Amino acid sequence: MPATIRDVAKYANVGVGTVSRVLNNNPSVSDETRLKVLAAIKDLDYHPNPIARQLSTGRTLTIGVILPYLTMPSYVERLRGVQRALAGTEYDLILFSVESPAQRDAFFEDISRSPRADGILIISLPPEDQQARRLANSQVPVVLVDAYHPELCSVLIDDIQGGRMITEYLIQLGHQKIAFLGDYLETPFHPSMRYRFQGYQEALQEAGITYSPEYLAEGTNERSTARRLAKQLLSLENPPTAIFAGCDTQAIGVLDAAREMGIRVPEALSVIGYDGIRDAEYLNLTTVEQHLFDSGVEGVQLLLEALDQTIPEPRKKYIPIELVVRGTTAPPLA
Amino acid sequence: MPATIRDVAKYANVGVGTVSRVLNNNPSVSDETRLKVLAAIKDLDYHPNPIARQLSTGRTLTIGVILPYLTMPSYVERLRGVQRALAGTEYDLILFSVESPAQRDAFFEDISRSPRADGILIISLPPEDQQARRLANSQVPVVLVDAYHPELCSVLIDDIQGGRMITEYLIQLGHQKIAFLGDYLETPFHPSMRYRFQGYQEALQEAGITYSPEYLAEGTNERSTARRLAKQLLSLENPPTAIFAGCDTQAIGVLDAAREMGIRVPEALSVIGYDGIRDAEYLNLTTVEQHLFDSGVEGVQLLLEALDQTIPEPRKKYIPIELVVRGTTAPPLA
DNA sequence: TAATGGCTTGGAACCGGTTCCAGACGTAAC
DNA sequence: GTTACGTCTGGAACCGGTTCCAAGCCATTA
């Protein structure tokens, strides 16, 4: 049976308050007493029980992170940022991974009422209005990363602008036949794909290019699915000269398709991704870098600030995105 | 201020014990009383404080997972398995990510004495003898995944056999000049690379092939490093006809090097990886599949069993490995 | 000498649950 | 009518910390 603070107090012939003061570096303990207590702690191999401390202080020294199931490299990358930012602090990280909308809702419910964590970081899971309100009114501060709600702090990425940026760049290169290959746009989870698509459409419209529905390919976020969809796009009677892939993983699938079909990239087909995962660099893929790691770091920072304040106001922080031109884009063949 | 169990008791005109019994589905509560209590709980929007419950029951309903920094896809894949296996249980997952040997030691120290979690899962971080003893003697059950110590439960992978398997297969194809490209063998962290290398050496020896030190390339676990090292190997006066890469990421770097040097795979160079990460399938990479996801699942299962028993005995469970022959290996050119 | 105030200290009360013991009540058996 | 027993209930004690109040002690000051 591990020693308790009372055992230590008895052993050192002091009161429990004194032991507690020594543990918490309270200066109003005489050196003599402090040494006696420290010796007792050592003799008894005493280690304070964090649960008991949590109960009496009301702090859990834990940050809850809720994120979609760890399949996509981009989630992992954001999580790494969170992890790193938390490493220097006194907080531990408790991970809630969401595999379905129902589970997400359940977590949002639970979290907002049970003080399991001092703060909550929600990654890539935008809450609905009612949930957001609950979260905002709950005791624990909440920060969204890669998600937005007016009532909550968020670290966000302007996906509409990203979509425009890519499309404008392709148009500027001279492309007119630009396809969009992404996740299903109507997903209960995350609207970022919709935003990217919206940016794509806006840029087309501004350039006076008519949007053609046959240039839209939707599918699951997998390399193999993207490959299949890309083959369909490239087999059209009037195939696109550029494909805007909704994420880098899908762009890699597009590259697979092009290779298998003997279509040269970038000469005969420009391919552009979105995210800036590590593989993009190796594959020399043109992409929009959205600083995934940094978004995790910033999220933690916002949360730590919110933890300091008594009344956290809903702050927004944009992570800049940037177009990284590499080897998979070029002007179309004349 | 959230309602407490005493508020509920007062509101429902019952004792706190009764409320607690209702919360825990204790059958010895009359239906009438139960309904009264449930109504009070609803009226006050009461939710039990998990910390307080933890303190009085002694259970945290939390599993701690310690793993190296989330850079390698293989760690993430194991973590996903853990995550999934825990999803159906009442346990939450608290994540400790280790970035240095010193930090690893600190975690091992802390964990073995503070009851922060009901059980600990250690991934890919073999403890030293003294640490293992501490862990074994601590109150919390510990399971190692992808690591071994005689005194602890472990889910392990026979890396020596994996190394042999690969090498024997290459020899059987007719290769004699087989290089090994892996992490630094002398690492304070994880010996799996050493074991794979050992299997490689044993297989060579048994086939009567002299091991040549110039066919050993060590470097950090990064695709770009592997590419550089592979170029060096392939620029040797007498270059290898096959490269055994210590992990799939490194194998991908080898493929990069071959492509850049215009060396055809598998005709002029066989490349084989190790791990079975997802990309291996897409890249059509021959590899040793070690069922990373499953190892996480099995680890959790072992831990849950250990949590049930009062005296957990150190059990071992091997995850089978299997050679997956794909398109990057072939007999050498005559 | 008494009053004042600073420095230490002991320990009760508290955080919010669970558990267990004692007792109230009702019914059946003698 | 009393005993016995089962069912249900209240609440004190407990888990192991922190916090705060009261008080002891000593030196300084009036």
Side-chain angles (χ1 to χ4, degrees):
Chain A
M1 201 51 44
T4 73
I5 198 169
R6 275 162 249 267
D7 298 330
V8 174
K10 203 169 291 174
Y11 187 93
N13 273 316
V14 298
V16 288
T18 303
V19 178
S20 179
R21 280 183 283 264
V22 170
L23 289 174
N24 294 286
N25 291 314
N26 186 318
S28 66
V29 179
S30 72
D31 286 350
E32 189 191 1
T33 310
R34 181 182 304 277
L35 288 176
K36 246 188 348 188
V37 172
L38 289 174
I41 287 175
K42 193 159 198 182
D43 284 359
L44 298 177
D45 192 33
Y46 166 75
H47 297 281
N49 180 327
I51 306 288
R53 177 174 290 181
Q54 285 171 27
L55 181 58
S56 58
T57 58
R59 300 180 67 196
T60 65
L61 293 186
T62 294
I63 298 293
V65 175
I66 309 183
L67 81 182
Y69 197 46
L70 289 173
T71 39
M72 280 178 60
S74 59
Y75 299 147
V76 176
E77 195 64 17
R78 289 193 215 275
L79 178 62
R80 279 188 54 225
V82 170
Q83 169 60 58
R84 165 60 66 85
L86 241 28
T89 72
E90 52 189 348
Y91 291 97
D92 285 331
L93 185 164
I94 183 161
L95 191 67
F96 302 100
S97 163
V98 167
E99 302 189 25
S100 68
Q103 208 183 15
R104 173 198 60 186
D105 296 345
F107 275 132
F108 284 170
E109 279 282 296
D110 272 11
I111 282 299
S112 55
R113 59 202 193 189
S114 300
R116 312 180 53 73
D118 293 341
I120 301 292
L121 214 55
I122 297 176
I123 298 182
S124 299
L125 291 168
E128 288 158 16
D129 281 354
Q130 200 196 335
Q131 293 169 334
R133 207 161 307 125
R134 280 191 86 113
L135 291 170
N137 292 333
S138 75
Q139 303 297 318
V140 276
V142 172
V143 169
L144 305 176
V145 171
D146 183 36
Y148 173 77
H149 195 279
E151 298 190 37
L152 295 167
C153 281
S154 14
V155 172
L156 28 85
I157 291 92
D158 190 341
D159 282 307
I160 298 179
Q161 198 213 336
R164 295 175 75 108
M165 202 182 255
I166 285 175
T167 313
E168 284 167 5
Y169 165 67
L170 289 171
I171 292 170
Q172 185 198 317
L173 280 179
H175 291 276
Q176 297 271 324
K177 299 187 288 180
I178 303 170
F180 183 93
L181 188 159
D183 288 18
Y184 292 109
L185 296 180
E186 290 309 323
T187 157
F189 265 151
H190 198 278
S192 64
M193 228 16 107
R194 269 205 297 286
Y195 292 144
R196 293 172 199 177
F197 179 69
Q198 183 183 333
Y200 158 80
Q201 282 193 305
E202 289 178 6
L204 285 185
Q205 190 171 2
E206 280 170 27
I209 300 173
T210 315
Y211 160 69
S212 159
E214 70 174 0
Y215 281 170
L216 169 63
E218 295 175 86
T220 60
N221 185 312
E222 280 168 290
R223 185 167 162 176
S224 53
T225 307
R227 181 176 48 184
R228 184 170 51 72
L229 292 175
K231 283 187 179 172
Q232 286 172 17
L233 284 175
L234 295 169
S235 306
L236 288 174
E237 208 165 317
N238 185 21
T241 60
I243 297 181
F244 169 6
C247 74
D248 285 343
T249 304
Q250 289 170 325
I252 294 171
V254 174
L255 293 179
D256 291 340
R259 190 174 338 115
E260 288 176 22
M261 294 175 74
I263 297 174
R264 300 193 54 176
V265 173
E267 293 82 357
L269 178 70
S270 285
V271 178
I272 197 160
Y274 201 110
D275 274 351
I277 65 174
R278 298 176 163 220
D279 288 341
E281 191 180 339
Y282 295 115
L283 293 174
N284 204 20
L285 177 71
T286 298
T287 189
V288 164
E289 165 78 59
Q290 59 165 320
H291 304 289
L292 299 159
F293 186 92
D294 292 346
S295 73
V297 173
E298 295 288 345
V300 169
Q301 244 139 44
L302 225 50
L303 190 55
L304 293 179
E305 283 171 29
L307 283 168
D308 270 352
Q309 295 164 17
T310 39
I311 317 128
E313 34 167 350
R315 293 181 52 198
K316 312 288 164 218
K317 200 174 209 168
Y318 276 89
I319 300 285
I321 54 182
E322 102 197 61
L323 183 67
V324 180
V325 176
R326 296 207 186 91
T328 57
T329 43
L333 291 176
Chain B
M1 200 52 41
T4 73
I5 199 170
R6 274 162 251 267
D7 298 330
V8 175
K10 203 168 291 174
Y11 186 93
N13 272 317
V14 298
V16 288
T18 303
V19 178
S20 179
R21 278 184 284 266
V22 170
L23 289 173
N24 293 286
N25 290 314
N26 187 317
S28 66
V29 179
S30 71
D31 285 350
E32 189 191 1
T33 311
R34 180 182 304 277
L35 288 176
K36 244 187 354 186
V37 171
L38 289 175
I41 287 175
K42 192 160 198 179
D43 284 359
L44 299 178
D45 190 34
Y46 166 73
H47 297 280
N49 180 326
I51 306 287
R53 178 174 285 177
Q54 285 171 27
L55 181 59
S56 58
T57 58
R59 300 180 68 197
T60 65
L61 294 186
T62 295
I63 298 293
V65 175
I66 308 183
L67 43 59
Y69 197 47
L70 288 173
T71 38
M72 280 178 60
S74 59
Y75 299 147
V76 176
E77 195 64 17
R78 289 193 215 275
L79 178 62
R80 279 188 55 227
V82 169
Q83 170 59 58
R84 165 61 66 84
L86 242 27
T89 72
E90 52 188 348
Y91 291 97
D92 285 331
L93 186 164
I94 183 161
L95 192 67
F96 303 100
S97 164
V98 167
E99 302 189 24
S100 68
Q103 208 182 15
R104 174 198 60 186
D105 296 345
F107 276 133
F108 285 170
E109 279 281 296
D110 271 11
I111 283 299
S112 56
R113 59 200 193 190
S114 300
R116 311 180 54 73
D118 293 341
I120 301 292
L121 214 55
I122 298 175
I123 298 182
S124 300
L125 290 169
E128 287 159 18
D129 282 353
Q130 200 196 335
Q131 292 170 333
R133 207 160 308 126
R134 281 190 86 115
L135 291 169
N137 292 334
S138 75
Q139 303 296 318
V140 276
V142 172
V143 169
L144 305 177
V145 171
D146 183 37
Y148 173 78
H149 196 280
E151 297 190 39
L152 295 167
C153 281
S154 14
V155 172
L156 29 85
I157 291 91
D158 190 340
D159 282 308
I160 298 179
Q161 198 213 335
R164 295 176 73 108
M165 202 181 252
I166 285 175
T167 314
E168 284 167 4
Y169 166 66
L170 290 171
I171 292 170
Q172 185 197 317
L173 281 179
H175 290 276
Q176 297 271 324
K177 298 187 288 180
I178 303 170
F180 183 94
L181 187 159
D183 288 18
Y184 291 109
L185 297 180
E186 291 309 324
T187 157
F189 265 151
H190 198 278
S192 65
M193 228 15 106
R194 270 205 297 286
Y195 291 145
R196 293 172 198 177
F197 180 69
Q198 183 183 334
Y200 158 80
Q201 282 193 306
E202 289 178 7
L204 286 185
Q205 190 172 2
E206 280 170 28
I209 300 173
T210 315
Y211 160 69
S212 159
E214 70 174 1
Y215 282 170
L216 169 63
E218 295 175 86
T220 60
N221 185 313
E222 279 169 291
R223 186 166 162 177
S224 53
T225 308
R227 180 174 49 183
R228 184 170 50 74
L229 291 175
K231 283 187 180 173
Q232 286 173 16
L233 284 174
L234 295 169
S235 306
L236 287 174
E237 207 165 317
N238 185 20
T241 60
I243 296 181
F244 169 4
C247 74
D248 285 344
T249 305
Q250 289 169 326
I252 293 171
V254 174
L255 293 179
D256 290 341
R259 190 176 337 115
E260 288 176 22
M261 294 176 73
I263 297 174
R264 299 194 55 177
V265 174
E267 293 82 356
L269 178 70
S270 286
V271 178
I272 196 161
Y274 201 112
D275 275 350
I277 64 174
R278 298 178 161 217
D279 288 341
E281 192 180 338
Y282 295 115
L283 293 174
N284 205 22
L285 178 71
T286 299
T287 190
V288 163
E289 165 78 59
Q290 58 165 321
H291 302 289
L292 300 158
F293 186 92
D294 293 346
S295 72
V297 173
E298 295 288 345
V300 169
Q301 244 138 44
L302 224 50
L303 191 55
L304 293 178
E305 283 171 31
L307 283 169
D308 271 350
Q309 295 163 17
T310 38
I311 317 128
E313 34 168 349
R315 294 181 52 198
K316 313 287 163 218
K317 200 174 211 168
Y318 276 88
I319 301 285
I321 52 181
E322 101 197 60
L323 184 67
V324 180
V325 175
R326 296 207 186 91
T328 56
T329 44
L333 292 175

